[in-house]
């Protein structure tokens, strides 16, 4: 074995130091290498949930995430590293907080990627004078450091992708496919979404190598083998995603085939490849290289970048966004090294470079004026023109000075100074997470308090966390204990029926601009329906929790567990049912209150004629009077049509009177009341968010151009009121908008109870869960059914469920419009609900076939090597 000399390690040490500096500067004064939203609420908590479930079940192939979003197919979350080798390693470290672990492996991944790129370029014959600057260029490219603390899955597969390039070279040079296959396999497991682009890059690179060598025609075979080996992830994930309701609008086929000249997906943006404008020049110059294989590689990249259909396909047919092109980054760094080497060897003429730079300028003009890129920010486009001119000037100087520093230093400086979003030296971004917030959200005392509450609870209920919008966003997927079940969810894939129920049927408030963020609701009726018996908050929430029927139960430090005695169990049996046809005839707010009195089933039975009158008896229409005002920061004016025109320079509060009709005695009870409010919001500033708070509960309509536009044009609120209350606070967020078609109702606080005689209650027979058996994809327990009726749950319905009553399979039914249930007879029964992730068995079979083929492929290569040497 050749001894490694110290100077050979120096480039790796240098890259390591730059990585540490870059990560430290990105974290800045906050001190946390992570951001407030996606990193905190998805990338650092979902892997921790996978780890918790493994500890509980011991299964490496989970199927059900009962704790999240009411209960979901776990492959809805596979994007976040369900089988990622990076997170599987954390299973050996139960004592390490997942957020801390993620920061460490993200920084390590950046260094590993840059170091592997340097190693790969060296293997391809480039000197360290070229390999090292190009590796630094990679390190400071837009997405590398930025996405390592934002959308981790955008970049964490990169070490395995670069390993695959090394393995592909080894395959062409020595006929050995092991490293190539394993690297692709690990890349898929780490980030299956971006592995599609990664495999396209490898296929393009492999094609150019095949054309150059005229050998190894089966270079795609190791990649296909890796895909089959990943079947246990890819197949059930495809089944899960296929059932997701799409929020994107249709795209014209002709638009996908019309050439464009992208800028944001190629230069500087952290949501694209993120290099300088010089990469456009390099790609254009490559079209004039002598070797056909080199022209093929450059031309192939240009075609993929210019035709939107490729970007659309790489994004799974959802939209045309440059993030799917990030896997091209190491290949473009390799092409940069090729360009520098050819300049050093004088293998390209200066005339070709002049033509390429002129076409680059043309590309910038075409992208800006015809592609409308940076059209709203012309200063960015001007900077691109200056940058391109600077790089051309450096090339001209290089002709006389012949120093590579003139070609490699300016692009690196341009990346460092090229923009607020992707510059790692920016320390003041509002997105970065600070130590105080991180410590508060991940405070282990909250977890201990949750565990205490749940350990003392024998029943089947949910526990959620209260807080402001920032705290709620952080806790959308946060699970402290495997006994903790929550109704909230934040994932790019989800149970579509559950989402539709929340938005279209029940009308849960939307406090966030992202339509994928399904929040824990403040609506006490929704909390009751979903079985949220426990809520953790602090002492400041006590008054609000009390008005919603929650009382102080446990406390530790500033944290308090509040408990309600009136919420529905997660599963129960009732004979108080309403047919879907009758339920569908109800409007707001009765579409909500009906679910407090009845369970909705698909049976077309008819109720007594008085059911609707009885339902409406406890609700009275009222008027919410918003006074006209003309303050410096807020103007409210009622129009002749009854709408309210709001113009707010900043968030402003008003107290609004509730005009109760004579004879309405709702507020005179000790239970207080519930205020129901719904209106349509017409946003005059279409490309800006608009938000309105009622008694602290926020609804937001996101800007029309937001990629995850939430479509929340109807703001719905249900808030508790104290007895005797005659006014309520309304906060108007910054913007210019109108409130139209306002509906306001008042309901009695008894709606939050399940009172009356036991046989007349909705929750007649609670399900007694067996916590020793209930884990993973199995929910087991018994129930004493008082009256023949329906088994009702607040677990979202999914075709993957099987229900066994006393060991006999029972047909699952959809109840309450979106949830799992079945008919059941009077008597004591043992019930098991088992979830099977669709496609998992098929995926396991594909993985076995792939593994067998991989073994045979290695054996064949070994046999050929023996024959050759023998």
């Amino acid at each position: 074995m050749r001894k490694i000399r110290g100077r050979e390690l120096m480039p790796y040490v240098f890259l390591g130091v730059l990585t540490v500096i870059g990560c430290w500067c990105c974290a800045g004064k906050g001190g946390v290498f992570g951001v407030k939203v996606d990193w905190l609420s998805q990338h650092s908590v979902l892997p921790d949930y996978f780890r918790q479930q493994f500890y509980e079940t011991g299964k490496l192939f989970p199927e059900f995430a009962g704790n999240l979003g009411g209960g979901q197919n776990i492959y809805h979350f596979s994007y976040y590293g369900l089988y990622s080798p990076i997170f599987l390693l954390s299973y050996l470290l139960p004592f390490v907080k997942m957020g801390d672990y993620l920061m460490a492996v993200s920084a390590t991944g950046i260094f590993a990627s840059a170091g592997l790129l340097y190693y790969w370029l060296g293997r391809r014959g480039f000197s360290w004078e070229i390999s090292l600057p190009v590796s630094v260029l990679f390190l400071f490219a837009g997405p590398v450091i930025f996405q390592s603390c934002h959308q981790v899955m955008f970049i964490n597969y990169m070490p395995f992708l670069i390993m695959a390039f090394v393995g592909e070279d080894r395959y062409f040079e020595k006929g050995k496919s092991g490293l190539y296959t394993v690297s692709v396999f690990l890349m898929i497991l780490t980030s299956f979404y971006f592995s599609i682009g990664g495999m396209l890059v490898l296929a393009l690179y492999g094609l150019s190598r095949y054309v150059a060598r005229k050998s190894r025609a089966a270079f795609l075979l190791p990649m296909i083998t890796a895909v089959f080996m990943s079947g246990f992830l890819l197949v059930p994930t495809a089944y899960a995603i296929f059932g997701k309701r799409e929020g994107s609008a249709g795209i014209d086929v002709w638009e996908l085939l019309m050439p464009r000249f992208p800028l944001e997906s190629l230069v500087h943006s952290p949501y694209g490849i993120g290099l300088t404008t010089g990469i456009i020049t390099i790609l254009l110059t490559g079209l004039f290289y002598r070797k056909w294989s080199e022209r093929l590689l450059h031309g192939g990249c240009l075609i993929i970048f210019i035709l939107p259909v490729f970007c659309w396909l790489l994004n799974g047919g959802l939209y045309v966004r440059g993030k799917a092109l990030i896997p091209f980054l190491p290949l473009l760094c390799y092409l940069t090294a090729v360009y520098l080497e050819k300049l050093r060897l004088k293998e390209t003429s200066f005339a070709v470079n002049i033509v390429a730079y002129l076409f680059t300028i043309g590309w910038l003009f075409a992208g800006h004026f015809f592609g409308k890129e940076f059209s709203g920010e012309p200063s960015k486009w001007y900077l691109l023109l200056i940058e391109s001119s600077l790089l051309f000037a450096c090339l001209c100087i290089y002709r006389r000075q012949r120093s590579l520093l003139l070609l490699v230093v300016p692009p690196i400086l341009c990346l460092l100074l090229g923009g607020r979003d992707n510059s790692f030296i920016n320390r003041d971004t509002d997105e970065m997470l600070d130590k105080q917030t991180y410590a508060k959200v991940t405070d282990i005392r909250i977890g201990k308090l949750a565990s205490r509450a749940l350990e003392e609870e024998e029943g089947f209920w949910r526990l959620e966390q209260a807080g402001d919008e920032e705290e709620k966003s952080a806790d959308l997927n946060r699970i402290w204990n495997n006994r903790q079940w929550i109704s909230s969810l934040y994932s790019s894939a989800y149970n579509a029926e559950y989402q539709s129920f929340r938005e279209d049927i029940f009308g849960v408030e939307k406090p966030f601009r992202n339509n994928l963020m399904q929040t824990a609701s403040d609506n006490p009726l929704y909390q009751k329906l979903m079985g949220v018996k426990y809520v953790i908050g602090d002492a400041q929430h006590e008054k609000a929790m009390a008005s919603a029927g929650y009382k102080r139960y446990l406390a530790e430090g500033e944290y308090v567990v509040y408990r309600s005695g009136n919420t529905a169990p997660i599963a129960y049996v009732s004979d108080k049912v309403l047919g879907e046809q009758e339920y569908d005839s109800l409007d707001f707010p009765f579409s909500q209150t009906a679910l407090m009195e009845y369970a909705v089933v698909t049976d077309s039975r008819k109720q007594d004629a008085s059911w609707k009158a009885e339902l409406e008896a406890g609700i009275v229409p009222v008027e919410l009077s918003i006074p006209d005002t003309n303050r410096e920061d807020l103007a409210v004016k009622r129009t002749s049509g009854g709408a309210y025109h709001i113009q707010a320079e900043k968030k402003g509060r008003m107290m609004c009177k509730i005009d109760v009709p004579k004879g309405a005695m709702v507020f005179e009870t000790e239970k207080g009341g519930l205020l129901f409010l719904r209106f349509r919001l017409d946003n005059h500033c279409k490309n800006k968010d608009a938000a309105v708070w009622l008694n602290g509960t926020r609804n937001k309509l996101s800007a029309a151009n937001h990629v995850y536009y939430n479509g929340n044009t109807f703001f719905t609120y249900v808030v508790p009121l104290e007895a005797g209350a005659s006014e309520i606070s309304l906060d108007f967020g910054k913007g210019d908008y109108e409130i139209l078609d306002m509906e306001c109702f008042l309901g009695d606080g008894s709606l939050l109870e399940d009172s009356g005689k036991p046989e007349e209650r909705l929750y007649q027979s609670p399900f007694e869960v067996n916590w020793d058996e209930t884990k993973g994809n199995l929910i087991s327990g018994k129930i004493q059914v008082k009256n023949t009726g329906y088994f009702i749950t607040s677990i979202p319905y999914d075709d993957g469920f099987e229900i066994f009553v006393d060991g006999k399979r029972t047909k699952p039914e959809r109840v309450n419009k979106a949830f799992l249930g079945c008919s059941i007879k009077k008597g004591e029964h043992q019930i098991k609900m088992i979830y099977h992730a669709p496609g998992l068995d098929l995926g396991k079979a594909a993985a076995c076939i792939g593994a067998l083929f991989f073994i045979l492929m290695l054996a064949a290569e070994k046999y050929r090597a023996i024959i050759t040497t023998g």
Side-chain angles (χ1 to χ4, degrees):
M1 182 179 292
R2 186 177 69 87
K3 186 177 180 181
I4 300 176
R5 290 175 292 183
R7 64 181 183 182
E8 293 178 336
L9 295 176
M10 289 307 296
Y12 297 100
V13 173
F14 178 69
L15 291 172
V17 171
L18 285 184
T19 299
V20 172
I21 293 174
C23 293
W24 180 82
C25 289
C26 188
K29 62 184 179 183
V32 179
F33 191 52
V35 294
K36 294 178 181 177
V37 183
D38 292 355
W39 187 93
L40 188 59
S41 59
Q42 289 181 310
H43 300 286
S44 66
V45 291
L46 288 172
D48 189 51
Y49 175 65
F50 302 150
R51 183 170 65 171
Q52 287 184 49
Q53 190 170 109
F54 172 76
Y55 292 153
E56 182 187 37
T57 66
K59 293 181 179 180
L60 273 175
F61 298 98
E63 300 185 67
F64 187 58
N67 310 78
L68 298 171
Q72 305 253 337
N73 182 342
I74 203 167
Y75 288 92
H76 287 150
F77 315 114
S78 60
Y79 171 77
Y80 302 98
L82 179 59
Y83 294 117
S84 169
I86 295 171
F87 293 122
L88 289 177
L89 183 63
S90 73
Y91 292 12
L92 302 175
L93 305 168
F95 49 86
V96 177
K97 190 185 296 184
M98 184 57 75
D100 297 342
Y101 177 82
L102 182 57
M103 285 186 273
V105 295
S106 293
T108 303
I110 295 170
F111 166 67
S113 300
L116 283 167
L117 182 66
Y118 176 80
Y119 172 76
W120 175 43
L121 294 177
R123 279 180 56 89
R124 287 309 313 267
F126 299 105
S127 65
W128 75 267
E129 291 92 345
I130 290 178
S131 299
L132 185 59
V134 170
S135 300
V136 175
L137 201 66
F138 169 89
L139 182 64
F140 294 142
V144 176
I145 293 178
F146 182 93
Q147 295 299 355
S148 293
C149 60
H150 284 70
Q151 300 278 358
V152 177
M153 301 307 163
F154 282 26
I155 204 72
N156 66 348
Y157 57 89
M158 200 61 77
F160 303 117
L161 174 57
I162 301 173
M163 279 173 54
F165 279 113
V166 177
E168 196 167 19
D169 287 339
R170 193 166 181 260
Y171 174 74
F172 277 102
E173 294 162 4
K174 299 181 180 181
K176 296 183 178 181
S177 60
L179 179 61
Y180 182 17
T181 307
V182 170
S183 298
V184 174
F185 173 69
L186 294 176
M187 176 179 68
I188 294 171
L189 295 188
T190 303
S191 184
F192 71 86
Y193 187 100
F194 287 91
S195 70
I196 301 171
M199 287 186 284
L200 177 60
V201 173
L202 290 168
L204 185 60
Y205 178 72
L207 181 61
S208 71
R209 294 226 62 181
Y210 168 71
V211 170
R213 297 175 64 92
K214 300 296 182 184
S215 63
R216 313 291 182 194
F219 66 89
L220 292 180
L221 195 57
M223 192 187 303
I224 295 171
T225 301
V227 171
F228 271 89
M229 289 167 59
S230 310
F232 62 88
L233 168 67
L234 296 179
V235 176
T237 297
Y239 272 86
I241 293 177
F242 183 75
K244 174 183 177 292
R245 186 186 64 173
E246 302 300 347
S248 57
I251 297 179
D252 190 343
V253 175
W254 291 110
E255 288 185 11
L256 295 177
L257 297 176
M258 288 293 292
R260 65 188 182 101
F261 298 91
L263 295 178
E264 292 183 85
S265 59
L266 293 181
V267 295
H268 290 292
S269 172
Y271 292 92
I273 294 171
L275 291 172
T276 68
T277 56
I279 196 59
I280 300 174
T281 307
I282 290 169
L283 289 171
L284 293 171
T285 304
L287 297 178
F288 299 94
Y289 291 164
R290 294 178 181 177
K291 293 181 181 180
W292 164 242
S293 60
E294 293 175 334
R295 295 200 301 270
L296 175 65
L297 193 53
H298 290 77
C301 288
L302 284 170
I303 290 172
I304 291 169
F305 298 157
I306 289 174
L307 293 181
V309 65
F310 288 101
C311 198
W312 180 73
L313 290 171
L314 292 176
N315 279 297
L318 296 175
Y319 35 59
V320 178
R321 293 184 64 194
K323 67 177 186 179
L325 300 177
I326 294 175
F328 280 81
L329 175 58
L331 179 62
L332 295 187
C333 288
Y334 165 76
L335 296 183
T336 301
V338 171
Y339 175 77
L340 293 172
E341 181 71 1
K342 288 187 178 295
L343 284 177
R344 187 179 70 84
L345 298 176
K346 299 182 180 180
E347 291 184 2
T348 57
S349 68
F350 187 64
V352 168
N353 280 280
I354 292 177
V355 171
Y357 270 103
L358 290 175
F359 273 104
T360 300
I361 298 298
W363 185 304
L364 296 179
F365 273 90
H368 179 63
F369 290 105
F370 298 104
K372 305 298 182 183
E373 301 207 34
F374 301 122
S375 57
E377 300 173 289
S379 60
K380 287 188 177 182
W381 180 68
Y382 295 143
L383 289 174
L384 295 184
L385 289 175
I386 295 171
E387 177 186 271
S388 185
S389 302
L390 172 64
L391 296 180
F392 179 65
C394 291
L395 177 66
C396 293
I397 299 172
Y398 173 77
R399 287 191 70 201
R400 294 180 178 275
Q401 300 295 329
R402 307 301 298 177
S403 172
L404 278 175
L405 291 176
L406 289 167
L407 299 179
V408 298
V409 173
I412 294 172
L413 292 176
C414 287
L415 287 179
L416 292 177
L417 304 174
R420 179 187 63 85
D421 291 331
N422 64 307
S423 176
F424 85 97
I425 60 174
N426 173 48
R427 302 186 181 195
D428 298 322
T429 173
D430 294 334
E431 293 181 336
M432 296 308 298
L433 186 61
D434 59 84
K435 289 181 181 179
Q436 292 74 22
T437 302
Y438 178 64
K440 180 179 180 181
V441 169
T442 61
D443 193 334
I444 194 63
R445 290 179 298 171
I446 303 175
K448 290 180 179 179
L449 200 55
S451 296
R452 279 179 58 195
L454 294 169
E455 286 168 2
E456 296 174 13
E457 174 59 66
E458 296 181 355
F460 199 18
W461 279 280
R462 292 188 169 91
L463 179 150
E464 297 185 338
Q465 290 181 239
D468 56 25
E469 286 85 8
E470 186 175 86
E471 292 169 324
K472 280 187 175 182
S473 70
D475 296 326
L476 285 165
N477 295 317
R478 193 171 302 279
I479 299 297
W480 293 100
N481 184 295
N482 275 297
R483 284 278 305 274
Q484 181 189 357
W485 289 43
I486 61 177
S487 64
S488 59
L489 178 70
Y490 181 22
S491 172
S492 53
Y494 46 80
N495 184 302
E497 291 190 53
Y498 181 59
Q499 172 83 323
S500 177
F501 175 82
R502 290 173 56 95
E503 293 185 0
D504 306 326
I505 298 174
F506 203 88
V508 173
E509 75 273 10
K510 285 187 176 183
F512 304 112
R513 68 194 310 245
N514 189 330
N515 71 309
L516 300 177
M517 300 173 77
Q518 303 176 39
T519 182
S521 178
D522 289 337
N523 183 335
L525 298 184
Y526 191 76
Q527 291 174 327
K528 178 184 176 183
L529 176 73
M530 294 302 296
V532 183
K533 183 176 182 178
Y534 299 95
V535 177
I536 297 181
D538 54 35
Q540 296 178 358
H541 295 98
E542 188 154 0
K543 185 177 180 180
M545 297 305 301
S547 62
Y550 289 84
K551 297 179 180 179
R552 178 186 283 254
Y553 174 54
L554 295 173
E556 183 170 332
E558 68 266 35
Y559 300 113
V560 180
V561 175
Y562 299 95
R563 182 175 66 175
S564 171
N566 297 315
T567 54
I570 293 177
Y572 60 93
V573 170
S574 181
D575 66 349
K576 290 191 65 177
V577 295
L578 192 65
E580 277 194 355
Q581 186 175 358
E582 293 166 313
Y583 177 80
D584 290 342
S585 68
L586 299 173
D587 294 321
F588 174 81
F590 307 107
S591 56
Q592 295 193 11
T593 60
L595 293 172
M596 306 299 109
E597 304 289 338
Y598 301 97
V600 177
V601 297
T602 54
D603 192 346
S604 59
R605 67 184 63 197
K606 295 293 182 182
Q607 287 283 345
D608 182 86
S610 63
W611 74 271
K612 200 167 188 178
E614 291 175 358
L615 188 67
E616 295 173 350
I619 306 290
V620 293
V622 297
E623 183 177 348
L624 187 67
S625 298
I626 305 176
D628 285 358
T629 188
N630 190 21
R631 302 199 310 242
E632 183 177 346
D633 61 335
L634 176 65
V636 179
K637 183 178 181 181
R638 188 164 188 175
T639 66
S640 57
Y644 291 93
H645 184 198
I646 315 296
Q647 292 177 300
E649 294 297 323
K650 60 181 181 179
K651 182 180 177 182
R653 169 168 295 186
M654 298 189 67
M655 299 304 297
C656 303
K657 186 179 179 183
I658 304 170
D659 293 326
V660 184
K662 291 183 179 180
M665 306 296 290
V666 178
F667 288 120
E668 296 181 8
T669 67
E670 294 181 357
K671 301 181 181 67
L674 292 174
L675 185 71
F676 299 84
L677 177 66
R678 184 173 72 168
F679 55 79
R680 180 166 61 88
L681 189 137
D682 182 11
N683 191 2
H684 295 177
C685 302
K686 300 296 183 185
N687 291 329
K688 293 184 179 180
D689 296 351
V692 177
W693 289 255
L694 180 70
N695 234 27
T697 297
R698 180 172 77 176
N699 260 298
K700 174 176 280 193
L701 173 62
S702 57
N705 60 355
H706 184 49
V707 66
Y708 297 114
Y709 173 67
N710 67 7
N712 189 29
T713 54
F714 279 90
F715 285 17
T716 305
Y717 305 86
V718 179
V719 297
L721 295 174
E722 295 180 0
S726 60
E727 62 179 11
I728 195 167
S729 67
L730 204 59
D731 293 74
F732 298 106
K734 182 179 178 180
D736 185 349
Y737 45 90
E738 280 188 86
I739 291 175
L740 308 96
D741 307 326
M742 182 181 288
E743 301 173 86
C744 195
F745 300 86
L746 203 55
D748 193 278
S750 61
L751 284 166
L752 297 178
E753 300 179 356
D754 186 33
S755 56
K757 298 178 181 179
E759 65 274 11
E760 296 176 352
R761 295 176 182 175
L762 177 57
Y763 318 128
Q764 296 164 5
S765 306
F767 176 66
E768 299 175 34
V769 67
N770 183 333
W771 287 111
D772 292 331
E773 294 183 3
T774 298
K775 57 185 63 178
N777 65 329
L778 171 64
I779 304 169
S780 177
K782 64 181 181 179
I783 194 166
Q784 181 65 49
V785 180
K786 298 177 181 178
N787 301 310
T788 296
Y790 279 83
F791 181 64
I792 308 295
T793 78
S794 54
I795 301 169
Y797 179 87
D798 190 296
D799 291 334
F801 274 109
E802 292 179 334
I803 299 179
F804 294 88
V805 179
D806 298 326
K808 297 181 180 179
R809 189 190 299 268
T810 301
K811 181 182 178 182
E813 297 183 33
R814 188 179 285 100
V815 298
N816 283 348
K817 299 294 286 184
F819 299 95
L820 179 68
C822 67
S823 59
I824 196 167
K825 294 183 179 180
K826 181 178 180 180
E828 183 174 332
H829 301 284
Q830 295 289 329
I831 296 179
K832 289 187 176 182
M833 292 171 275
I834 303 174
Y835 185 80
H836 297 292
L840 180 57
D841 290 339
L842 179 60
K844 288 179 179 178
C848 290
I849 293 172
L852 178 61
F853 195 83
F854 180 52
I855 294 170
L856 293 174
M857 190 165 59
L858 293 180
E861 291 170 3
K862 186 72 172 178
Y863 177 75
R864 283 197 303 268
I866 293 173
I867 295 297
T868 302
T869 57

